[in-house]
Amino acid sequence: MISANGAAPLRVLASLVMLAALAACTTPATVPPPAISFKEKPPIRLDVASVNIVPEYVPPRRDPNIEHAMPLSPQTGVERWVEDRLLGEGSSGAANLIIRRASVVEQALPRTGGVRGIVEVEQSERYTAQLEVEVTVEKGSQSGRAEASVVRSTTVAENATLEQREATWTQLVNDLMKDFDATLEREMRKNLPRFVIGGPGS
C-alpha cells in the first residue's frame, strides 16, 4: 500500500513524464523557404567580356562542417547570384568571382539539467554560415578588386525533424545571401567604378 505521503511524489513524477512526452511531440510547423533567386533585381552590368566563378573553397566534408549535406549550400547560393545579377557587356576583359570560404558549421549548445531540462524543449544546435568572396577584374592594363565577407547564424530545437532542420538551413543561406547581395554590390560600386556600367538600378 502506498501512503498518502508517497502518492504525491508519484503523481508529480507522472505529471513531469507526461509533460516531457508532450514537449517531445511538439514541433514547429515546417514552412519550406522559397527557392533563392535575385532575378527581381536589376543586373550589375560590367564592362568585361566574361564573368567566371572560381570556387577555391573545398568543403571538409566532416564535422563540424555540414555545408556538403545541405539542400542549399552557400556556394550554390553564390552561383545563383552570379547567374542572376552579374552581366558582362564589354568586348574584352574578365571578371573572376573567387569563393574563398562558403562554410556552415554546427555547434552543440549547452543543455539544462534537472527537471527543467526534462520538461523544456531547448535549442540544441547552433549553425553558423560564413561567406567570403573576392571579385577581381582584368581588362588590358586596368585591374581592380572588391571583397565581401558575411556571417549569419541560427539555432534549432532539440525535437526538430530532419525536414525542419533542412528548412532552417535553407532559410539561413537565404538570409546570408541577402546580406551578401547588398554587401558585394556596394563594394563593387565603390572599388570597381571604372568597370561597373551605370548606377544602381540602371
PDB file of all heavy atoms in Angstrom, residues 54-62 65-68 73 75 98-104 130 132:
ATOM      1  N   VAL A  54      35.277  31.119 -59.593  1.00  0.00           N
ATOM      2  CA  VAL A  54      36.464  30.344 -59.214  1.00  0.00           C
ATOM      3  C   VAL A  54      36.236  29.802 -57.804  1.00  0.00           C
ATOM      4  O   VAL A  54      36.473  30.498 -56.807  1.00  0.00           O
ATOM      5  CB  VAL A  54      37.742  31.207 -59.257  1.00  0.00           C
ATOM      6  CG1 VAL A  54      38.962  30.346 -58.968  1.00  0.00           C
ATOM      7  CG2 VAL A  54      37.872  31.907 -60.603  1.00  0.00           C
ATOM      8  N   PRO A  55      35.768  28.553 -57.664  1.00  0.00           N
ATOM      9  CA  PRO A  55      35.458  28.003 -56.335  1.00  0.00           C
ATOM     10  C   PRO A  55      36.696  27.466 -55.633  1.00  0.00           C
ATOM     11  O   PRO A  55      36.993  26.262 -55.679  1.00  0.00           O
ATOM     12  CB  PRO A  55      34.456  26.882 -56.661  1.00  0.00           C
ATOM     13  CG  PRO A  55      34.842  26.425 -58.033  1.00  0.00           C
ATOM     14  CD  PRO A  55      35.391  27.629 -58.753  1.00  0.00           C
ATOM     15  N   GLU A  56      37.414  28.333 -54.947  1.00  0.00           N
ATOM     16  CA  GLU A  56      38.630  27.910 -54.245  1.00  0.00           C
ATOM     17  C   GLU A  56      38.324  27.140 -52.958  1.00  0.00           C
ATOM     18  O   GLU A  56      39.120  26.317 -52.528  1.00  0.00           O
ATOM     19  CB  GLU A  56      39.511  29.119 -53.918  1.00  0.00           C
ATOM     20  CG  GLU A  56      40.223  29.698 -55.125  1.00  0.00           C
ATOM     21  CD  GLU A  56      41.338  30.645 -54.718  1.00  0.00           C
ATOM     22  OE1 GLU A  56      41.434  30.976 -53.515  1.00  0.00           O
ATOM     23  OE2 GLU A  56      42.112  31.050 -55.602  1.00  0.00           O
ATOM     24  N   TYR A  57      37.181  27.409 -52.353  1.00  0.00           N
ATOM     25  CA  TYR A  57      36.847  26.737 -51.092  1.00  0.00           C
ATOM     26  C   TYR A  57      36.495  25.276 -51.353  1.00  0.00           C
ATOM     27  O   TYR A  57      35.683  24.959 -52.222  1.00  0.00           O
ATOM     28  CB  TYR A  57      35.675  27.432 -50.408  1.00  0.00           C
ATOM     29  CG  TYR A  57      35.232  26.752 -49.130  1.00  0.00           C
ATOM     30  CD1 TYR A  57      35.996  26.867 -47.967  1.00  0.00           C
ATOM     31  CD2 TYR A  57      34.068  25.992 -49.088  1.00  0.00           C
ATOM     32  CE1 TYR A  57      35.599  26.233 -46.795  1.00  0.00           C
ATOM     33  CE2 TYR A  57      33.662  25.370 -47.915  1.00  0.00           C
ATOM     34  CZ  TYR A  57      34.431  25.486 -46.773  1.00  0.00           C
ATOM     35  OH  TYR A  57      34.046  24.868 -45.612  1.00  0.00           O
ATOM     36  N   VAL A  58      37.109  24.388 -50.562  1.00  0.00           N
ATOM     37  CA  VAL A  58      36.831  22.953 -50.653  1.00  0.00           C
ATOM     38  C   VAL A  58      36.194  22.502 -49.342  1.00  0.00           C
ATOM     39  O   VAL A  58      36.839  22.550 -48.290  1.00  0.00           O
ATOM     40  CB  VAL A  58      38.116  22.146 -50.909  1.00  0.00           C
ATOM     41  CG1 VAL A  58      37.786  20.650 -50.975  1.00  0.00           C
ATOM     42  CG2 VAL A  58      38.791  22.605 -52.194  1.00  0.00           C
ATOM     43  N   PRO A  59      34.931  22.079 -49.352  1.00  0.00           N
ATOM     44  CA  PRO A  59      34.280  21.634 -48.115  1.00  0.00           C
ATOM     45  C   PRO A  59      35.041  20.481 -47.470  1.00  0.00           C
ATOM     46  O   PRO A  59      35.418  19.527 -48.165  1.00  0.00           O
ATOM     47  CB  PRO A  59      32.890  21.179 -48.597  1.00  0.00           C
ATOM     48  CG  PRO A  59      32.674  21.917 -49.875  1.00  0.00           C
ATOM     49  CD  PRO A  59      34.025  22.027 -50.517  1.00  0.00           C
ATOM     50  N   PRO A  60      35.275  20.534 -46.159  1.00  0.00           N
ATOM     51  CA  PRO A  60      35.990  19.448 -45.486  1.00  0.00           C
ATOM     52  C   PRO A  60      35.234  18.121 -45.500  1.00  0.00           C
ATOM     53  O   PRO A  60      35.831  17.062 -45.379  1.00  0.00           O
ATOM     54  CB  PRO A  60      36.129  19.967 -44.036  1.00  0.00           C
ATOM     55  CG  PRO A  60      35.943  21.440 -44.127  1.00  0.00           C
ATOM     56  CD  PRO A  60      34.995  21.659 -45.257  1.00  0.00           C
ATOM     57  N   ARG A  61      33.887  18.200 -45.610  1.00  0.00           N
ATOM     58  CA  ARG A  61      33.020  17.026 -45.619  1.00  0.00           C
ATOM     59  C   ARG A  61      33.163  16.198 -44.341  1.00  0.00           C
ATOM     60  O   ARG A  61      33.145  14.965 -44.359  1.00  0.00           O
ATOM     61  CB  ARG A  61      33.286  16.146 -46.861  1.00  0.00           C
ATOM     62  CG  ARG A  61      33.132  16.896 -48.179  1.00  0.00           C
ATOM     63  CD  ARG A  61      33.236  15.946 -49.360  1.00  0.00           C
ATOM     64  NE  ARG A  61      32.061  15.087 -49.443  1.00  0.00           N
ATOM     65  CZ  ARG A  61      30.923  15.435 -50.022  1.00  0.00           C
ATOM     66  NH1 ARG A  61      30.789  16.635 -50.586  1.00  0.00           N
ATOM     67  NH2 ARG A  61      29.896  14.602 -50.050  1.00  0.00           N
ATOM     68  N   ARG A  62      33.336  16.875 -43.218  1.00  0.00           N
ATOM     69  CA  ARG A  62      33.395  16.220 -41.910  1.00  0.00           C
ATOM     70  C   ARG A  62      32.997  17.233 -40.841  1.00  0.00           C
ATOM     71  O   ARG A  62      33.056  18.436 -41.065  1.00  0.00           O
ATOM     72  CB  ARG A  62      34.785  15.662 -41.619  1.00  0.00           C
ATOM     73  CG  ARG A  62      35.893  16.705 -41.555  1.00  0.00           C
ATOM     74  CD  ARG A  62      37.233  16.086 -41.173  1.00  0.00           C
ATOM     75  NE  ARG A  62      38.280  17.094 -41.069  1.00  0.00           N
ATOM     76  CZ  ARG A  62      39.006  17.517 -42.086  1.00  0.00           C
ATOM     77  NH1 ARG A  62      38.824  17.009 -43.296  1.00  0.00           N
ATOM     78  NH2 ARG A  62      39.942  18.437 -41.902  1.00  0.00           N
ATOM     79  N   ASN A  65      31.631  20.797 -40.001  1.00  0.00           N
ATOM     80  CA  ASN A  65      31.054  21.390 -41.212  1.00  0.00           C
ATOM     81  C   ASN A  65      29.912  20.540 -41.751  1.00  0.00           C
ATOM     82  O   ASN A  65      30.002  19.305 -41.756  1.00  0.00           O
ATOM     83  CB  ASN A  65      32.121  21.556 -42.288  1.00  0.00           C
ATOM     84  CG  ASN A  65      33.114  22.637 -41.966  1.00  0.00           C
ATOM     85  OD1 ASN A  65      33.907  22.513 -41.045  1.00  0.00           O
ATOM     86  ND2 ASN A  65      33.065  23.720 -42.719  1.00  0.00           N
ATOM     87  N   ILE A  66      28.851  21.217 -42.231  1.00  0.00           N
ATOM     88  CA  ILE A  66      27.695  20.485 -42.764  1.00  0.00           C
ATOM     89  C   ILE A  66      27.271  20.981 -44.139  1.00  0.00           C
ATOM     90  O   ILE A  66      26.276  20.492 -44.683  1.00  0.00           O
ATOM     91  CB  ILE A  66      26.487  20.587 -41.803  1.00  0.00           C
ATOM     92  CG1 ILE A  66      25.993  22.048 -41.717  1.00  0.00           C
ATOM     93  CG2 ILE A  66      26.802  20.032 -40.433  1.00  0.00           C
ATOM     94  CD1 ILE A  66      24.578  22.167 -41.205  1.00  0.00           C
ATOM     95  N   GLU A  67      27.994  21.937 -44.725  1.00  0.00           N
ATOM     96  CA  GLU A  67      27.521  22.529 -45.984  1.00  0.00           C
ATOM     97  C   GLU A  67      27.365  21.490 -47.096  1.00  0.00           C
ATOM     98  O   GLU A  67      26.518  21.635 -47.980  1.00  0.00           O
ATOM     99  CB  GLU A  67      28.444  23.666 -46.446  1.00  0.00           C
ATOM    100  CG  GLU A  67      29.869  23.254 -46.732  1.00  0.00           C
ATOM    101  CD  GLU A  67      30.779  23.364 -45.526  1.00  0.00           C
ATOM    102  OE1 GLU A  67      30.270  23.621 -44.421  1.00  0.00           O
ATOM    103  OE2 GLU A  67      32.000  23.199 -45.692  1.00  0.00           O
ATOM    104  N   HIS A  68      28.144  20.421 -47.057  1.00  0.00           N
ATOM    105  CA  HIS A  68      28.057  19.386 -48.083  1.00  0.00           C
ATOM    106  C   HIS A  68      26.756  18.583 -48.000  1.00  0.00           C
ATOM    107  O   HIS A  68      26.361  17.930 -48.964  1.00  0.00           O
ATOM    108  CB  HIS A  68      29.249  18.422 -47.970  1.00  0.00           C
ATOM    109  CG  HIS A  68      29.321  17.719 -46.648  1.00  0.00           C
ATOM    110  ND1 HIS A  68      29.817  18.328 -45.515  1.00  0.00           N
ATOM    111  CD2 HIS A  68      28.919  16.479 -46.267  1.00  0.00           C
ATOM    112  CE1 HIS A  68      29.745  17.483 -44.496  1.00  0.00           C
ATOM    113  NE2 HIS A  68      29.197  16.357 -44.915  1.00  0.00           N
ATOM    114  N   SER A  73      23.520  25.055 -50.366  1.00  0.00           N
ATOM    115  CA  SER A  73      24.771  25.460 -49.717  1.00  0.00           C
ATOM    116  C   SER A  73      25.101  26.908 -50.062  1.00  0.00           C
ATOM    117  O   SER A  73      24.592  27.456 -51.052  1.00  0.00           O
ATOM    118  CB  SER A  73      25.921  24.564 -50.188  1.00  0.00           C
ATOM    119  OG  SER A  73      26.216  24.818 -51.560  1.00  0.00           O
ATOM    120  N   GLN A  75      27.765  28.007 -51.386  1.00  0.00           N
ATOM    121  CA  GLN A  75      28.399  28.054 -52.708  1.00  0.00           C
ATOM    122  C   GLN A  75      27.356  28.031 -53.819  1.00  0.00           C
ATOM    123  O   GLN A  75      27.459  28.785 -54.798  1.00  0.00           O
ATOM    124  CB  GLN A  75      29.365  26.877 -52.897  1.00  0.00           C
ATOM    125  CG  GLN A  75      30.038  26.878 -54.263  1.00  0.00           C
ATOM    126  CD  GLN A  75      31.255  25.990 -54.333  1.00  0.00           C
ATOM    127  OE1 GLN A  75      32.065  25.958 -53.405  1.00  0.00           O
ATOM    128  NE2 GLN A  75      31.404  25.255 -55.412  1.00  0.00           N
ATOM    129  N   ILE A  98      35.882  34.883 -56.959  1.00  0.00           N
ATOM    130  CA  ILE A  98      36.619  33.824 -56.261  1.00  0.00           C
ATOM    131  C   ILE A  98      35.955  33.537 -54.914  1.00  0.00           C
ATOM    132  O   ILE A  98      35.851  34.426 -54.063  1.00  0.00           O
ATOM    133  CB  ILE A  98      38.088  34.252 -56.042  1.00  0.00           C
ATOM    134  CG1 ILE A  98      38.718  34.663 -57.378  1.00  0.00           C
ATOM    135  CG2 ILE A  98      38.883  33.110 -55.413  1.00  0.00           C
ATOM    136  CD1 ILE A  98      40.033  35.406 -57.225  1.00  0.00           C
ATOM    137  N   ILE A  99      35.511  32.311 -54.732  1.00  0.00           N
ATOM    138  CA  ILE A  99      34.880  31.906 -53.476  1.00  0.00           C
ATOM    139  C   ILE A  99      35.974  31.426 -52.524  1.00  0.00           C
ATOM    140  O   ILE A  99      36.504  30.328 -52.666  1.00  0.00           O
ATOM    141  CB  ILE A  99      33.842  30.801 -53.706  1.00  0.00           C
ATOM    142  CG1 ILE A  99      32.786  31.257 -54.726  1.00  0.00           C
ATOM    143  CG2 ILE A  99      33.175  30.409 -52.387  1.00  0.00           C
ATOM    144  CD1 ILE A  99      31.792  30.182 -55.107  1.00  0.00           C
ATOM    145  N   ARG A 100      36.321  32.281 -51.562  1.00  0.00           N
ATOM    146  CA  ARG A 100      37.372  31.949 -50.598  1.00  0.00           C
ATOM    147  C   ARG A 100      36.862  31.044 -49.482  1.00  0.00           C
ATOM    148  O   ARG A 100      37.574  30.170 -48.986  1.00  0.00           O
ATOM    149  CB  ARG A 100      37.941  33.233 -49.977  1.00  0.00           C
ATOM    150  CG  ARG A 100      38.470  34.252 -50.960  1.00  0.00           C
ATOM    151  CD  ARG A 100      39.743  33.809 -51.603  1.00  0.00           C
ATOM    152  NE  ARG A 100      40.366  34.896 -52.362  1.00  0.00           N
ATOM    153  CZ  ARG A 100      41.376  34.717 -53.209  1.00  0.00           C
ATOM    154  NH1 ARG A 100      41.849  33.496 -53.412  1.00  0.00           N
ATOM    155  NH2 ARG A 100      41.880  35.757 -53.867  1.00  0.00           N
ATOM    156  N   ARG A 101      35.618  31.276 -49.065  1.00  0.00           N
ATOM    157  CA  ARG A 101      35.021  30.497 -47.979  1.00  0.00           C
ATOM    158  C   ARG A 101      33.514  30.445 -48.192  1.00  0.00           C
ATOM    159  O   ARG A 101      32.898  31.450 -48.550  1.00  0.00           O
ATOM    160  CB  ARG A 101      35.343  31.112 -46.622  1.00  0.00           C
ATOM    161  CG  ARG A 101      34.873  30.289 -45.423  1.00  0.00           C
ATOM    162  CD  ARG A 101      35.235  30.992 -44.116  1.00  0.00           C
ATOM    163  NE  ARG A 101      34.891  30.182 -42.970  1.00  0.00           N
ATOM    164  CZ  ARG A 101      35.695  29.304 -42.384  1.00  0.00           C
ATOM    165  NH1 ARG A 101      36.912  29.135 -42.849  1.00  0.00           N
ATOM    166  NH2 ARG A 101      35.308  28.596 -41.347  1.00  0.00           N
ATOM    167  N   ALA A 102      32.928  29.274 -47.968  1.00  0.00           N
ATOM    168  CA  ALA A 102      31.480  29.101 -48.096  1.00  0.00           C
ATOM    169  C   ALA A 102      31.068  27.975 -47.149  1.00  0.00           C
ATOM    170  O   ALA A 102      30.638  26.908 -47.565  1.00  0.00           O
ATOM    171  CB  ALA A 102      31.101  28.769 -49.534  1.00  0.00           C
ATOM    172  N   SER A 103      31.211  28.236 -45.864  1.00  0.00           N
ATOM    173  CA  SER A 103      31.072  27.176 -44.862  1.00  0.00           C
ATOM    174  C   SER A 103      29.840  27.339 -43.995  1.00  0.00           C
ATOM    175  O   SER A 103      29.312  28.442 -43.822  1.00  0.00           O
ATOM    176  CB  SER A 103      32.308  27.158 -43.960  1.00  0.00           C
ATOM    177  OG  SER A 103      32.410  28.382 -43.237  1.00  0.00           O
ATOM    178  N   VAL A 104      29.378  26.212 -43.443  1.00  0.00           N
ATOM    179  CA  VAL A 104      28.347  26.192 -42.413  1.00  0.00           C
ATOM    180  C   VAL A 104      28.822  25.212 -41.344  1.00  0.00           C
ATOM    181  O   VAL A 104      29.070  24.043 -41.640  1.00  0.00           O
ATOM    182  CB  VAL A 104      26.978  25.765 -42.957  1.00  0.00           C
ATOM    183  CG1 VAL A 104      25.935  25.791 -41.824  1.00  0.00           C
ATOM    184  CG2 VAL A 104      26.531  26.667 -44.092  1.00  0.00           C
ATOM    185  N   GLN A 130      29.212  31.201 -43.119  1.00  0.00           N
ATOM    186  CA  GLN A 130      30.181  32.262 -43.414  1.00  0.00           C
ATOM    187  C   GLN A 130      30.539  32.219 -44.892  1.00  0.00           C
ATOM    188  O   GLN A 130      30.804  31.157 -45.459  1.00  0.00           O
ATOM    189  CB  GLN A 130      31.446  32.088 -42.563  1.00  0.00           C
ATOM    190  CG  GLN A 130      32.442  33.224 -42.713  1.00  0.00           C
ATOM    191  CD  GLN A 130      33.557  33.138 -41.684  1.00  0.00           C
ATOM    192  OE1 GLN A 130      33.593  32.218 -40.849  1.00  0.00           O
ATOM    193  NE2 GLN A 130      34.474  34.067 -41.721  1.00  0.00           N
ATOM    194  N   GLU A 132      32.945  34.271 -47.820  1.00  0.00           N
ATOM    195  CA  GLU A 132      33.996  35.235 -48.165  1.00  0.00           C
ATOM    196  C   GLU A 132      34.274  35.130 -49.661  1.00  0.00           C
ATOM    197  O   GLU A 132      34.634  34.053 -50.150  1.00  0.00           O
ATOM    198  CB  GLU A 132      35.274  34.967 -47.367  1.00  0.00           C
ATOM    199  CG  GLU A 132      35.121  35.154 -45.869  1.00  0.00           C
ATOM    200  CD  GLU A 132      36.373  34.809 -45.093  1.00  0.00           C
ATOM    201  OE1 GLU A 132      37.404  34.482 -45.746  1.00  0.00           O
ATOM    202  OE2 GLU A 132      36.338  34.863 -43.859  1.00  0.00           O
TER     203      GLU A 132
END
